[in-house]
Amino acid sequence: MTERASLGVGLMSGTSLDGVDAALVRFTGPTHVELKGFVTRTYMEGERERIRRVLKGGTPAEFARLHADLAIWAGEAVEEVLDKSSTLASDLSFIAFPGQTIWHEPPAVTWQLGEPAILAERFGVKVVSGFRGRDVAAGGQGAPLVPMADVLLFGDHVHPRALLNIGGIANVTFVARRDVEEGAFAFDTGPGVVVIDAVAQMVDRSLAYDRAGALARRGQVNQAVLADLLSDPFFNEMPPKSTGRERFGSAYAEALAKKVPGADGVATAVELTARSIAEAIGRWMPRCGEVVASGGGTHHPVLMERLAALLGEEKIALNRFDDLFFDGDAKEAVAFALLGYLTIHGQPGNLPAATGAEGPRVLGVVTPA
């Protein structure tokens, strides 16, 4: 693989529906990256509502228009990160655009919206998209895909490390040693903030999420309901496994809020995320002394307090990605920039031990400049 330096933009729009993240990344090989800039193009409430409506089942026209508009919004994120870092579009080698997952049902199908041709036309560079489909076609889950970045970029050089991402859905990667795929694996643990955010919105429609953990701190966990939630078969499935809004989405949150209304429902949702993560790490991961957390969930103080306490019972330290690398909110966008780089250079981007695919695969489709 060439070591000539190149610039790429990685994009990410996850299940939390916060917006589009854009990371400008300089590569001098797959294990040497530098974050040059990062922005989030936040979805306006009307935009977020359009996505939610399609997720619940929209018309063909709604799907088609959203397919185009997601790329337009992503383009605005690219323009913003280029402007912020004083970089010209002509300096870019590629854009990695995973799109917005609308339906994820492996091994049958995974489906993301977002027209890559719009970005290719707008910026005059190659666009890599459709990352998940090839892994699913090879018998994999199509997720999580961040583990390749965890192995190549974020593992410890000496000691085993678990890298936790708490987005809408939470996932964790075990890396025995940096830049060594042997022994590495990953899986989705279950809900991250997707249920917490949805229940918080049912308590107070003016909230997009449980700001500063205020509702969760005011509420009390309903232990009986929590025990019932933790009995969901997903938590007992052996990895590799992945999940999404199809399982832990609006209907799931509405059922929880009905059983446990108000702030108590938010507190119960927070404990569900913390417990499911901690129990998954304890049950499925080899022993390691450190979990490094990133993602939107790290901004929820009650969730982080509970997770630290639960992991601490097993003598596992909970550290923040920000303290070791760079802004943790940028991690997934950087990871997709890496996947785009690998695809352009004809290198596999999936980790079969994480997704369950039959073997390594070059991911995605390249739309020409």
Side-chain angles (χ1 to χ4, degrees):
M1 184 181 297
T2 181
E3 296 298 313
R4 185 171 61 87
S6 62
L7 276 176
V9 171
L11 296 164
M12 180 62 190
S13 176
T15 51
S16 57
L17 306 183
D18 296 329
V20 185
D21 295 334
L24 178 66
V25 183
R26 182 176 185 270
F27 292 90
T28 50
T31 61
H32 296 86
V33 304
E34 179 185 1
L35 179 62
K36 305 291 290 184
F38 173 67
V39 302
T40 298
R41 192 280 192 193
T42 304
Y43 288 143
M44 292 181 286
E45 184 52 40
E47 295 166 346
R48 192 177 292 114
E49 184 54 39
R50 282 182 62 193
I51 300 173
R52 291 195 191 109
R53 189 163 58 247
V54 165
L55 286 168
K56 292 179 179 178
T59 66
E62 287 175 324
F63 275 94
R65 290 166 185 157
L66 184 61
H67 182 59
D69 286 344
L70 282 165
I72 292 170
W73 303 336
E76 292 170 1
V78 174
E79 287 187 346
E80 186 178 348
V81 77
L82 292 177
D83 182 65
K84 183 178 179 180
S85 56
S86 301
T87 301
L88 299 175
S90 58
D91 294 331
L92 289 180
S93 298
F94 68 92
I95 295 171
F97 181 41
Q100 177 68 55
T101 296
I102 296 298
W103 193 259
H104 184 69
E105 190 184 0
V109 69
T110 184
W111 184 25
Q112 288 74 42
L113 290 186
E115 176 52 70
I118 290 174
L119 293 175
E121 189 68 25
R122 185 168 182 171
F123 297 100
V125 299
K126 297 175 183 177
V127 179
V128 188
S129 60
F131 292 91
R132 302 187 191 279
R134 182 62 186 275
D135 186 85
V136 171
Q141 295 281 310
L145 294 182
V146 171
M148 183 58 78
D150 288 333
V151 170
L152 295 179
L153 303 176
F154 306 128
D156 187 88
H157 288 288
V158 178
H159 304 292
R161 171 181 284 167
L163 292 127
L164 171 67
N165 180 70
I166 314 174
I169 298 299
N171 57 72
V172 64
T173 306
F174 174 82
V175 181
R177 196 168 78 252
R178 183 171 175 174
D179 199 19
V180 177
E181 288 189 35
E182 184 178 355
F185 74 101
F187 58 96
D188 286 353
T189 64
V193 295
V194 63
V195 178
I196 300 170
D197 291 349
V199 175
Q201 290 162 10
M202 293 172 200
V203 175
D204 184 344
R205 292 292 179 184
S206 69
L207 296 176
Y209 57 93
D210 182 20
R211 192 178 301 277
L215 290 171
R217 202 173 295 284
R218 198 170 77 218
Q220 296 291 322
V221 175
N222 186 310
Q223 296 294 341
V225 171
L226 175 65
D228 182 56
L229 295 173
L230 287 169
S231 69
D232 188 297
F234 176 81
F235 299 123
N236 289 318
E237 290 177 17
M238 289 185 62
K241 57 182 178 177
S242 66
T243 190
R245 284 179 172 269
E246 301 76 27
R247 187 168 204 142
F248 298 108
S250 57
Y252 185 96
E254 287 168 6
L256 170 55
K258 186 175 181 179
K259 293 176 183 176
V260 190
D264 291 352
V266 180
T268 303
V270 168
E271 188 69 9
L272 170 66
T273 293
R275 284 277 299 277
S276 59
I277 291 171
E279 290 178 6
I281 290 172
R283 183 173 185 181
W284 304 117
M285 287 264 156
R287 183 69 182 177
C288 66
E290 178 188 32
V291 171
V292 179
S294 61
T298 62
H299 301 301
H300 194 291
V302 180
L303 174 58
M304 291 297 284
E305 289 166 14
R306 287 299 300 138
L307 189 54
L310 291 166
L311 292 173
E313 292 175 3
E314 302 300 323
K315 303 295 189 291
I316 301 173
L318 178 64
N319 298 317
R320 290 179 178 269
F321 184 92
D322 312 50
D323 296 332
L324 298 177
F325 299 103
F326 47 77
D327 183 349
D329 290 341
K331 181 189 172 188
E332 287 192 288
V334 170
F336 273 98
L338 173 65
L339 294 178
Y341 178 91
L342 292 173
T343 296
I344 286 173
H345 289 84
Q347 299 297 311
N350 64 333
L351 189 67
T355 67
E358 293 178 3
R361 296 291 189 270
V362 178
L363 303 179
V365 176
V366 178
T367 300

